[in-house]
Amino acid sequence: MNPAPNLVMVGPMGAGKTSIGRRIAERFGLRFVDADHAVVEAAGSSIPEIFEHEGEAGFRARERAALAQLLAGEGQVVASGGGAVLDADNRALMQARGFVIYLRVDVETQLRRVARDRNRPLLQNVDRRQVLTDLIAVRDPLYRQVADLVLDADRLTPGEATAALVGRLARDWQPTGASTA
């Protein structure tokens, strides 16, 4: 049993962090928050605009601040950005303030799920397959490092993934401050 004040969803783009996270939050009566959305709200700009004006480093600094603010709370499901695990402080904070779920998907699944998405700066005007392959090579060990639970979500709909997680979470996670009765 890993008591933690929050659930944190990690994984690559297209893994289902937002869609599955919303369902898990609803199922457990938790608040759902999306770190990327928090960055956009705080900046007053879209993620592509932040990348254009501040570069990836500027975006990552904003992401770090948003995660710190979000994870200071409790009783929520936090969908992190796919690259949030690149920062050692983010990884430490996720582990300290959350029960971390890694939604693992392969590159083929990612390509299908983000095929029409034009709001991802790292996938603009490039060989998407190669970029996703390179990103997962770097990030997979970091996702695994922080994860309390790994779910292979390649062939699962959001509903199926939620159902698979519910039983495991009921067994393996209890929000801090919840009764043990």
Side-chain angles (χ1 to χ4, degrees), residues 15 25 42 48 54 80 158:
E54 300 176 28
S80 73

Side-chain angles (χ1 to χ4, degrees), residues 141-158:
L142 301 174
Y143 295 139
R144 290 181 187 281
Q145 176 189 334
V146 299
D148 293 295
L149 187 156
V150 177
L151 179 70
D152 288 324
D154 283 317
R155 289 165 187 80
L156 302 177
T157 66

Side-chain angles (χ1 to χ4, degrees), residues 4-5 10 23 31 40 55 59 62 66 82 99 104-105 108 120 122 137 168 170 174-175 178:
V10 299
R23 289 169 183 252
R31 187 171 149 245
V40 167
F59 173 78
R62 289 178 177 277
F99 182 93
R104 198 212 62 75
V105 292
E108 293 306 316
R120 299 182 188 267
L122 295 178
R168 291 174 70 179
Q174 182 173 357

Side-chain angles (χ1 to χ4, degrees), residues 40-111:
V40 167
E41 290 249 324
S45 299
S46 70
I47 292 173
E49 290 170 337
I50 296 168
F51 266 74
E52 180 182 337
H53 297 292
E54 300 176 28
E56 185 172 358
F59 173 78
R60 296 293 172 209
R62 289 178 177 277
E63 179 180 60
R64 187 171 32 263
L67 270 175
Q69 182 178 18
L70 292 173
L71 288 173
E74 57 185 53
Q76 55 195 355
V77 175
V78 178
S80 73
V85 295
L86 295 170
D87 183 273
D89 291 339
N90 287 349
R91 292 192 306 273
L93 185 60
M94 288 178 194
Q95 290 179 296
R97 297 287 302 160
F99 182 93
V100 183
I101 300 167
Y102 171 21
L103 298 175
R104 198 212 62 75
V105 292
D106 63 24
V107 171
E108 293 306 316
T109 300
Q110 286 182 272
L111 285 167

